[in-house]
Amino acid sequence: MTTTQNASETTAPATTEWHWVMTVQTAKGVLNTRTATLTAPNDYTRAQLWSYIFDQFKADYDGPLTVLFFDLQPNRL
């Protein structure tokens, strides 16, 4: 007896949803914490996702930023 599997049952999803939290501080002492989810292709690295998230903060603030906290986890239990 042979069994067949649907191709969608055997292949992994091409993307992963991530939950992230980042806190930054400006040179003037302004603190900002954000949290959100993002969906990225599975071949993205942690460094690429960090840069993408950090770029969102840089777009809102002039001058240097210091990252005080960063967490990135798959958005599942």
Side-chain angles (χ1 to χ4, degrees), residues 18-30:
W18 300 90
H19 175 258
W20 62 267
V21 179
M22 183 180 276
T23 300
V24 300
Q25 184 174 10
T26 69
K28 295 180 180 180
V30 175

Side-chain angles (χ1 to χ4, degrees), residues 40-61:
N42 288 340
D43 62 349
Y44 273 43
T45 66
R46 180 179 175 87
Q48 287 172 309
L49 294 176
W50 185 93
S51 293
Y52 173 78
I53 295 164
F54 186 67
D55 287 347
Q56 294 177 36
F57 285 90
K58 287 191 327 186
D60 292 339
Y61 294 100

Side-chain angles (χ1 to χ4, degrees), residues 1-2 4 6 10 17 19 22 24 26 29 35 38 43 48 50 52 56 63 67 69-70 74:
M1 179 163 111
T2 61
T4 60
N6 186 339
T10 60
E17 183 180 48
H19 175 258
M22 183 180 276
V24 300
T26 69
T35 183
L38 66 89
D43 62 349
Q48 287 172 309
W50 185 93
Y52 173 78
Q56 294 177 36
V67 176
F69 179 80
F70 176 67

